[in-house]
Amino acid sequence: MTATATHLFRLLKWGRTLARHGALQGIERDPMTPANVRRLCRIARFGLTMPANPNYAAALHDIGPAAIKLGQALATRPDLVGEAAAANLLQLQDSLPPTPFPAVRVQIEKALEAPIEALFSKFDEEPVGSASIAQVYRATTTEGREVAVKVLRPGIEEEFDKALETYEWAAAHVELLGGEAERLRPRMVIAYFKQWVRRELDFTREAASASELRDNMIAEPNFYVPEIDWSRTARRVLTLEWLDGIKLTKRDELIAAGHDLQQLASTLVRAFLRQAVVDGYFHADLHQGNLFALPDGRLAAVDFGIMGRINRQARLWLAEILYGLITGNYRRVAEIHFEAQYVPSHHNVDEFATALRAVGEPIRGLPVKQISVGRMLEGLFAITRDFDMQTQPHLLLLQKTMVMEEGVATALDPDLNMWEAAEPFLKDWLRTELGPEAYYADKIIDVVRALKKLPHLIDKIDAQYPEPGAAPPPPPLAEVEVLQPKRGLGTAVTVLLSAAVGAAATLMAVNWF
């Protein structure tokens, strides 16, 4: 087990890097930050000239690959890190200088248990992409197929193990502060982050994810998922079909090639809704760099390391929440939050409905093309604290993906709106799930909802014993030996500890849904 001194050294080192980029200013200025944490922030920036505007993305990039991944996760939580920090973190580039090819060659041959020449007739030694976890190369198999080969960076697993252990240790101590820190459940956040990272570091899991998504997307013929070459795939190497397409980041090239940008945007929205709402299994990293327009007009996705899954009950709640906000049925949206136990039962459902109306009405009053899912989510984040809503980690990736996907779609077609595109899809799916698609469908939905309401006594029991399966079971929390406050020297150590943890483990936060 790593010593406490090692964790503190790492945290203080990271804190110094954060301070150099001005990324501790938010903590220092937040009135809710404990005094001892503010003191450490001042120590961390001692002697440094800080920029006028904090650059959180640059700070995490300098800390290393694990911090880059954590920053990308924190970008989904404006309620935790603040809106300005979240916007800055969305710019975080998942790129690092490439590892020299000789080390990569050893990694490939060890993973696939064969010389490169026995597997590939041609293998370009310069990577086409170099990210924090892996590098991607273009190659030709001995059968003549053009493929992309994704290789895990040598030593990256050990680097992540060290960082994750310290994150877990830090989160356990942050949670001891109670209050807002406890409500945000930092240990659970880090547990989910660890789960995502473990999946990203196992390329057989990524290959399986791509294969499952490819099967699901048969219903959307305009959305393409490349085929996996299983014979050349292992835990540290992934080989898949090479795609000759134009990245969605290159708008001018898309237009010059004659692509229909409105059609691409529409395809993206439909594909995401089918993944998230119908299948409950979605690509959770749909940024422009992972999306390609193929020569035949289809939209293709790559990089399946981050996938999200939500079960049918949670998808029904999600669809009803979105549809209720679209149609202005705030009472039903509030009821769903209580049924799902997102809001504690001691709160008043009517008061929560009123708070939702304050979020929804300004949006609904705008022209359709100006209504933003991102703006709606910001409004919802703002009311979570008032109603003691705890973090729902199984929805974190979905929230991030919704905002990201809306940004990509509107960059292609500024007149496209997520609400307008989503309403008929959600309405049809809800009718299919809750009742027959016919003239009396709406009335049948009301009847089904009524039948689902249980007697008062069972409602009270349910409040104490939530229905199993309503959300995916949380990942196990790491066993952490927490330092307890003591008198004298122990108190001083604890003050330093909580300060270090607050400054570095929460990274740059002022204030995840």
Side-chain angles (χ1 to χ4, degrees), residues 77-234:
R77 299 302 308 280
D79 62 321
L80 178 61
V81 300
E83 292 180 13
N88 180 265
L89 288 171
L90 285 173
Q91 304 169 26
L92 195 62
Q93 296 299 306
D94 193 6
S95 61
L96 288 173
T99 300
F101 185 73
V104 174
R105 181 189 182 97
V106 171
Q107 184 93 321
I108 295 171
E109 295 182 338
K110 182 179 179 180
L112 300 182
E113 299 180 341
I116 282 184
E117 292 77 12
L119 301 167
F120 305 96
S121 61
K122 180 182 177 183
F123 199 104
D124 294 345
E125 296 188 4
E126 288 297 321
V128 296
S130 179
S132 60
I133 284 180
Q135 297 173 190
V136 180
Y137 297 83
R138 185 171 185 172
T140 305
T141 68
T142 51
E143 296 85 6
R145 295 194 307 272
E146 293 292 312
V147 293
V149 183
K150 186 175 181 179
V151 187
L152 200 67
R153 282 179 177 269
I156 195 69
E157 293 160 300
E158 293 77 11
E159 187 171 346
F160 267 86
D161 284 342
K162 292 177 183 178
L164 285 169
E165 191 176 14
T166 297
Y167 292 164
E168 290 171 332
W169 184 89
H173 287 84
V174 169
E175 207 158 284
L176 280 181
L177 298 175
E180 183 70 2
E182 185 178 8
R183 183 185 76 84
L184 293 170
R185 294 155 69 178
R187 293 188 69 199
M188 187 67 71
V189 168
I190 296 301
Y192 272 91
F193 173 66
K194 181 178 180 179
Q195 194 176 69
W196 301 339
V197 167
R198 290 282 182 244
R199 291 172 183 171
E200 279 201 83
L201 294 176
D202 184 348
F203 288 164
T204 59
R205 291 286 298 272
E206 181 173 344
S209 298
S211 178
E212 182 176 351
L213 188 64
R214 180 181 170 90
D215 289 344
N216 290 348
M217 286 293 98
I218 291 175
E220 293 293 335
N222 289 327
F223 188 87
Y224 188 73
V225 176
E227 187 175 0
I228 300 298
D229 184 339
W230 285 101
S231 66
R232 294 173 176 84
T233 292

Side-chain angles (χ1 to χ4, degrees), residues 229-249:
D229 184 339
W230 285 101
S231 66
R232 294 173 176 84
T233 292
R235 197 166 71 83
R236 293 182 173 87
V237 177
L238 169 64
T239 304
L240 68 164
E241 175 185 1
W242 178 268
L243 298 177
D244 278 316
I246 302 173
K247 282 189 178 183
L248 297 197
T249 52

